[in-house]
Amino acid sequence: MKDEISREERVAGLKGLGCSRKRVEDARFTQGKGNYVDDIKLPGMLHGDFVRSPYAHARIKSINIDAAMALPGVTAVLTAKDLEPLGLHWMPTLAGDKQMVLADGKVLFQGQEVAFVVASDRYVAADAVELVEVDYEELEVIVDPFKSLQSDVVLREDLVADDGSIPNGAHGPRKHPNHIFTWEAGEEEATNQVIDNAAVVAEAEMYYHRTHPCPLETCGSVASMDKVNGKLTLWGTFQAPHVVRTVASLLSGIEEHNIRVVSPDIGGGFGNKVGVYPGYICSIVASIVTGVPVKWVEDRMENLMSTAFARDYWMKGKISATKEGKITGLHCHVTADHGAFDACADPTKFPAGFMNICTGSYDIPVAYLGVDGVYTNKAPGGVSYRCSFRVTEAVYFIERMIEVLAIELNMDPAELRSINFIKKEQFPYTAALGWEYDSGDYQTAWDKALKAVDYKGLRAEQAERVEAFKRGETRKVMGIGLSFFTEIVGAGPVKNCDILGMGMFDSCEIRIHPTGSAVARLGTISQGQGHATTFAQILATEIGLSAESITIEEGDTDTAPYGLGTYGSRSTPVAGAAAAMAGRKIRAKAQMIAAYLLEVHDNDVEFDVDRFVVKGVPERFKTMKEIAYAAYNQAIPGLEPGLEAVSYYDPPNMTYPFGAYVCVMDIDVDTGVPEIRRFYALDDCGTRINPMVIEGQIHGGLTEALAVALGQEIAYDDMGNVKTATLMDFFLPTAWEVPNYETDFTVTPSPHHPIGAKGVGESPHVGGVPCFSNAVQDAFRPFGNRHTNMPHDHWRIWQTANNLGMHD
Ligand code: PCD
Ligand SMILES: [Cu+]
C-alpha cells in the first residue's frame, strides 16, 4: 500500500500530546447549550430552600412551621426532628468529624441550615422560609481561634463527655473542648537546637486570611427517588461523584448499584464542590418522603456564607541561616481555624493537608511543623480554592519567610533563593518533612525568569525610585514581587492517601468502535478544565487515532469507572496516567491483531504514529482503523473479538510541578492603589498535553491569586456576622484589575508518570498569591516594612504606608 501523506502530517492529524487543540466543550458552552444542575427540569419536580440562622451561636428553643405549611404550594418543612429517626440529622464529614445537617438544638455559625422548605417552585419556597418562626437564645460568639482555646464557652457540646472529659478526635488527643487536633511533622528538638545556635534567625507571624473561591455556578443538587424501581438518581455539583455515591449508600442504606450519581456540566468548582452539603442530603430525604424529584440550588449569599471556605491559617515561623545565607533550619506553627465542624477534605492521614511541604523549593536540613486545628463560630470547610491540600498556605509561608530572612541578612531575595535551591542532581529529593520530590530543575527556571524580566535593571530602577520618593519627586513606590514554588499534586498513592478509607487511585476505560473511533470514560470530572479536549489528546498519541474521533465522558457513575474525582490537580497525574495505561493495553492487543493480518510474528511489527508496520518494511502496515475493524469482524485465532481496555491507576508518588513568578508593581502611597505593570509566570508541569489549555489554567489561577492577595476575603465581625456575603463587598477582579500575563515554561518530566506529565491547575494560584503579596511588601521594604498581612486592599496598603511614616 502507498502512503499519500507524510509522517509529519500523520502526527499532526492525531492532534495528540503537545497540540494546542481548541477546546471541544466550548462549542456547547459558547452557544448556551451547557447542561448545569439548574438546567435539569423533571416532571412534578419540587424545590427546596433553607431557613438559615441569623446568629453565629445560639440555642434553638423552638421552631414553628405552621404558618409556612399553610402557604399554598408548600409540601413539607423538614427540621432535625424529622431527620433524626432516619439517622440523618448529622452527617459524617470527610475529615472524620460530624456535622449537623439541620440545626440540632443549637446553631454554630451564621447561615447554618435550620430547616428545609419544600414547595412547588423556588419563589414559594423562599416565601415560606420567611414564615418559619425560630426562637433563638443567643450565646457568646467566638470568632478568634486563640480565644477559642482559652474560652469556657464550649462550642461543640457533642464532643465533650458527660463527666466533662474530652474524648479523642479523629486525629488523636484534644487539649481543650474547642480544640480539634494537633498534627506534627519533622523534628522539633533538633530544629530548635539549630535555630537557637544559628548565626542569623528571622521570625515572622502571618495570617493567611479566610477566603472563598466563589465559582460562577453555586452548589446544587436534584434528587429523584424512583420508588417503583428502588433507584435513586442524584444530579449535583460534585467534584467527586463516585465518593458521593458510596457515601450516599452508606448513609441511606440504599444499595450502591441502586444509586446513580451524575455530575453534569459544572460552572467552576475550585474545591468548593468537593465536600458534602446539607442541601444534598435534604434534597434526597425530601425526594424519598414526597416521591417526586426535589431540586436545591443555592443563591450567591448562601454560597459565600455557608459553603467550603479556604485558608484561615495563623502561621508563626522561625528560619535560621549562616551569615552567607545558607538556610539551616525552619520552624512553623499553625493555628488553623476550621469553623464549627471539621469538614476539610484532606486525605485522612493529613489533617492539615500537605502543609508539610512548607520547606518549599529549598534544601533545608532540619524542620518542624505543628498544626493545631480549632473550632470557632464560622462556616465549616477549609477544603477549597486551588489547593485544597494547604499547599497555598505552605508556599505563602516559606516565600514570606525567605523575604524576611533576606531583610535580616540584608541580601537580595533572588540571590537568597538561588543559594538555597534543591539542586538538579539532588532529585529524587527527600525533604526534611518527609516528601520525596520526583524531579526538578529550579535554577534553570529561576535564571530564565530573572533574565526575561531584566531583574538587575528592575532593581536599579527601584533604587532610583526610592531616591526620587525621598526627594519628594514622586508619590509612587515600586515593588518587585518574587516567588518560586513547588507544588505537590496527584494524590494517591493509595498507601498514603485515602478519604474516609476510600483509596485515592483513578481510572480510565476505553472502548474502540469498529470504524476506528472511540469513547473513553474516566473517574474524574471536569469543572471547566477541558478534560474532554486534553484526555483525548493523551489517548490519541497512545493509540494512534485522532483526538477528534475520541469522545471523553466523565461524571456519570452508571457508566464511568470508579474514581476519586477532580481536585488537588490530580486528574492529569492520576486519571491521565490511567488513560495512558489503558491506551497501552489497547496497543498491545492491536499489535497482535496487526501481526496476524500482516502474517508476521508479534515481535516483527512496531507502532508508528497511527499504525503498526513490519519492522524494516515501512510500506507493509495496518492502520489502527483497519485493526479496529478487524478486531470486531475478523476471526483471529487465540484472540477474543473487540478492542477495549480499562486501567485503574495507583500512582507510585505524587508529582511536583514548580514555577518561577515575577510581578512588578507601582503603588500610589496616598491612595493605596497598586498598579500591576508586569506579571511574568514560568511554569514547569512536566510534559505539556495542551499548551493552550495550560495557558488558560495559568491565567485563571493567577487572576484568583490576584484576588486573594489584593482584596478578596470572607470577613467576620465580633458577633460572627459575615461582612462579605455579597459581590458588593466580596472582591472579584475584573478586566480592569487584571494585567496582561506573560507566560513561559521549562519542561522537566515526572520520572514516574507514564507520559511525564505533572498537574498544573493549582500552580498559578499557589505561586501567584505570594508573588503579588511580595510585590506589595517589597515596595515598602526600603521604607522599613518586614511583613504585613493580606489582603492588600487599598485601605490596608494605605495603612502600611501610613504606619511607615510615608504620609508625614
Ligand atoms: N502537564 C499538563 C497538565 C495539565 N494539563 C491540562 O490542564 C488542565 C488541568 O489539569 P490538572 O492540573 O491535572 O488539574 P485537574 O485535576 O484537571 O483540575 C483540578 C484543578 O483545576 C483548576 N482549574 C480550574 N479551571 C476551571 N476552568 N474551573 C475550575 O473549577 C478549576 N479548578 C481549579 C482547581 S481548584 Mo481544587 O478543587 O481547590 O483542589 S484543584 C483544581 C487539564 O485539562 C489538563 O489536561 C495539560 O494540558 N498538561
Ligand atoms: Cu493542592
Side-chain angles (χ1 to χ4, degrees):
M1 210 188 279
K2 227 184 132 301
D3 219 355
E4 300 98 56
I5 58 170
S6 70
R7 187 170 189 280
E8 249 173 20
E9 285 170 310
R10 290 195 280 125
V11 172
L14 289 184
K15 302 204 173 174
L17 280 188
C19 166
S20 281
R21 180 184 184 221
K22 280 199 182 145
R23 291 174 24 125
V24 294
E25 44 273 87
D26 289 349
R28 178 162 93 247
F29 296 143
T30 53
Q31 294 176 67
K33 296 284 196 245
N35 182 39
Y36 299 91
V37 171
D38 206 27
D39 292 321
I40 293 166
K41 298 186 172 83
L42 302 172
M45 188 171 77
L46 299 175
H47 298 258
D49 193 9
F50 278 111
V51 175
R52 293 180 181 271
S53 170
Y55 299 110
H57 197 196
R59 189 102 34 221
I60 293 185
K61 289 161 71 182
S62 65
I63 303 176
N64 184 344
I65 63 168
D66 295 347
M69 284 299 288
L71 189 72
V74 173
T75 312
V77 179
L78 302 177
T79 64
K81 280 207 183 72
D82 304 302
L83 300 183
E84 193 172 352
L86 308 166
L88 288 175
H89 55 319
W90 288 71
M91 61 179 180
T93 69
L94 297 178
D97 193 1
K98 53 187 179 139
Q99 175 177 351
M100 291 178 206
V101 174
L102 291 172
D104 184 20
K106 73 191 283 197
V107 288
L108 286 154
F109 63 93
Q110 187 180 56
Q112 188 178 335
E113 300 80 0
V114 175
F116 189 68
V117 174
V118 184
S120 53
D121 72 46
R122 184 71 173 78
Y123 303 95
V124 175
D127 288 346
V129 161
E130 300 297 323
L131 296 174
V132 174
E133 293 158 24
V134 186
D135 192 5
Y136 297 97
E137 177 193 320
E138 285 185 68
L139 299 171
E140 190 182 326
V141 173
I142 306 180
V143 289
D144 177 332
F146 297 98
K147 284 188 188 150
S148 187
L149 290 179
Q150 308 294 326
S151 176
D152 296 335
V153 178
V154 175
L155 300 180
R156 293 286 300 278
E157 285 145 2
D158 59 300
L159 297 180
V160 177
D162 290 338
D163 64 0
S165 66
I166 306 167
N168 281 1
H171 308 287
R174 296 160 56 227
K175 302 184 239 190
H176 182 276
N178 299 335
H179 179 237
I180 310 173
F181 63 81
T182 298
W183 185 61
E184 294 177 289
E187 298 166 59
E188 181 156 40
E189 251 187 57
T191 304
N192 285 341
Q193 210 155 35
V194 167
I195 292 175
D196 290 345
N197 298 306
V200 183
V201 179
E203 295 184 40
E205 282 183 36
M206 56 191 96
Y207 177 47
Y208 199 144
H209 57 292
R210 180 177 272 240
T211 182
H212 193 284
C214 191
L216 208 53
E217 178 201 32
T218 59
C219 298
S221 59
V222 176
S224 178
M225 183 72 212
D226 176 346
K227 291 195 175 172
V228 177
N229 297 309
K231 187 142 186 166
L232 170 70
T233 307
L234 187 62
W235 292 265
T237 45
F238 311 131
Q239 288 184 234
H242 283 94
V243 176
V244 170
R245 188 184 71 187
T246 300
V247 173
S249 173
L250 294 173
L251 285 181
S252 67
I254 301 173
E255 279 193 275
E256 203 164 347
H257 73 284
N258 278 330
I259 302 177
R260 176 181 172 209
V261 175
V262 184
S263 298
D265 285 328
I266 296 182
F270 308 108
N272 186 231
K273 294 164 179 171
V274 174
V276 175
Y277 295 119
Y280 303 163
I281 309 279
C282 287
S283 63
I284 295 175
V285 173
S287 179
I288 294 175
V289 171
T290 61
V292 292
V294 176
K295 177 188 277 184
W296 164 73
V297 175
E298 286 171 340
D299 65 24
R300 179 61 58 196
M301 285 183 79
E302 293 180 291
N303 181 253
L304 281 170
M305 241 177 13
S306 69
T307 61
F309 70 93
R311 329 290 186 242
D312 220 341
Y313 258 34
W314 298 83
M315 305 184 283
K316 212 173 157 173
K318 271 189 207 174
I319 191 165
S320 62
T322 63
K323 280 200 202 73
E324 296 71 38
K326 178 75 193 77
I327 300 171
T328 52
L330 178 72
H331 190 286
C332 176
H333 185 267
V334 181
T335 302
D337 187 339
H338 283 229
F341 307 97
D342 184 10
C344 288
D346 303 309
T348 307
K349 294 192 186 91
F350 300 92
F354 302 156
M355 183 64 198
N356 57 333
I357 190 107
C358 65
T359 52
S361 315
Y362 313 105
D363 185 18
I364 302 180
V366 62
Y368 169 79
L369 166 72
V371 183
D372 281 295
V374 184
Y375 291 119
T376 59
N377 289 120
K378 298 182 187 171
V383 299
S384 63
Y385 218 165
R386 247 175 162 130
C387 192
S388 329
F389 296 155
R390 307 286 187 186
V391 184
T392 39
E393 289 89 327
V395 171
Y396 185 75
F397 171 78
I398 184 67
E399 289 305 287
R400 283 304 304 149
M401 291 310 293
I402 290 279
E403 294 284 317
V404 174
L405 179 62
I407 295 171
E408 195 68 45
L409 287 160
N410 194 21
M411 191 183 255
D412 181 284
E415 192 193 335
L416 180 58
R417 285 179 174 84
S418 282
I419 294 174
N420 289 287
F421 279 141
I422 300 162
K423 295 191 178 54
K424 194 177 165 186
E425 335 53 274
Q426 284 174 282
F427 291 93
Y429 172 84
T430 304
L433 296 177
W435 297 113
E436 188 189 296
Y437 294 24
D438 61 345
S439 65
D441 182 356
Y442 299 164
Q443 193 66 52
T444 303
W446 195 229
D447 292 342
K448 191 172 182 188
L450 298 182
K451 191 165 168 232
V453 298
D454 180 21
Y455 182 67
K456 279 208 181 105
L458 287 174
R459 282 291 175 209
E461 186 189 344
Q462 185 190 39
E464 273 169 37
R465 184 75 75 82
V466 171
E467 291 315 313
F469 185 89
K470 287 182 177 161
R471 290 195 301 268
E473 290 163 17
T474 176
R475 295 298 287 162
K476 283 191 179 170
V477 291
M478 172 182 163
I480 305 165
L482 302 175
S483 88
F484 196 99
F485 67 92
T486 298
E487 248 270 65
I488 169 170
V489 297
V494 171
K495 67 176 192 294
N496 289 338
C497 293
D498 68 272
I499 289 189
L500 287 182
M502 286 174 267
M504 299 182 78
F505 59 84
D506 229 288
S507 59
C508 173
E509 183 196 278
I510 171 155
R511 201 174 281 184
I512 315 274
H513 307 315
T515 51
S517 72
V519 57
R521 301 188 173 99
L522 297 100
T524 44
I525 173 73
S526 184
Q527 307 126 40
Q529 293 89 342
H531 292 176
T533 306
T534 55
F535 286 141
Q537 293 181 250
I538 297 178
L539 286 167
T541 297
E542 289 294 339
I543 63 180
L545 293 173
S546 170
E548 302 294 344
S549 52
I550 304 171
T551 296
I552 300 293
E553 285 181 9
E554 298 177 305
D556 184 339
T557 60
D558 263 10
T559 52
Y562 203 100
L564 268 280
T566 293
Y567 42 86
S569 270
R570 66 186 297 281
S571 303
T572 302
V574 195
M581 298 311 270
R584 285 169 199 184
K585 289 184 187 176
I586 296 279
R587 222 159 75 186
K589 184 168 179 184
Q591 178 164 4
M592 292 191 266
I593 298 171
Y596 173 80
L597 298 174
L598 292 162
E599 297 178 327
V600 294
H601 189 271
D602 290 356
N603 293 338
D604 293 333
V605 291
E606 63 188 357
F607 186 70
D608 180 48
V609 187
D610 57 354
R611 63 192 56 182
F612 276 95
V613 292
V614 176
K615 283 181 188 164
V617 199
E619 62 280 5
R620 288 196 61 213
F621 63 86
K622 287 288 170 190
T623 64
M624 283 302 292
K625 270 182 182 260
E626 293 170 310
I627 294 167
Y629 197 78
Y632 288 91
N633 300 312
Q634 201 159 338
I636 300 171
L639 279 187
E640 287 179 8
L643 196 51
E644 299 186 5
V646 54
S647 167
Y648 283 82
Y649 189 80
D650 180 8
N653 189 4
M654 277 180 266
T655 66
Y656 295 73
F658 57 91
Y661 293 176
V662 184
C663 172
V664 186
M665 198 182 264
D666 295 299
I667 296 174
D668 183 324
V669 298
D670 296 319
T671 60
V673 176
E675 211 175 293
I676 299 155
R677 199 198 301 176
R678 223 176 147 178
F679 198 103
Y680 169 92
L682 179 150
D683 271 89
D684 190 320
C685 55
T687 305
R688 290 150 53 88
I689 302 162
N690 183 321
M692 188 182 65
V693 166
I694 293 173
E695 173 111 354
Q697 287 292 307
I698 290 167
H699 284 206
L702 288 177
T703 301
E704 290 184 321
L706 180 154
V708 169
L710 301 184
Q712 197 173 75
E713 179 179 22
I714 297 287
Y716 287 81
D717 69 11
D718 291 344
M719 304 281 290
N721 296 306
V722 183
K723 297 195 289 182
T724 49
T726 78
L727 296 184
M728 295 288 285
D729 307 295
F730 184 82
F731 171 51
L732 273 193
T734 63
W736 177 255
E737 291 90 1
V738 175
N740 184 22
Y741 301 118
E742 302 162 51
T743 58
D744 202 347
F745 64 96
T746 53
V747 176
T748 310
S750 165
H752 61 79
H753 188 282
I755 61 165
K758 301 180 177 185
V760 77
E762 293 181 338
S763 295
H765 196 72
V766 166
V769 175
C771 191
F772 285 109
S773 179
N774 280 345
V776 173
Q777 315 227 24
D778 182 75
F780 293 107
R781 173 177 166 171
F783 304 91
N785 175 61
R786 280 178 73 90
H787 176 81
T788 48
N789 281 330
M790 296 187 291
H792 308 290
D793 53 19
H794 303 173
W795 160 236
R796 284 192 181 86
I797 291 179
W798 184 91
Q799 274 183 312
T800 301
N802 200 53
N803 292 341
L804 294 170
M806 295 169 80
H807 295 149
D808 301 342

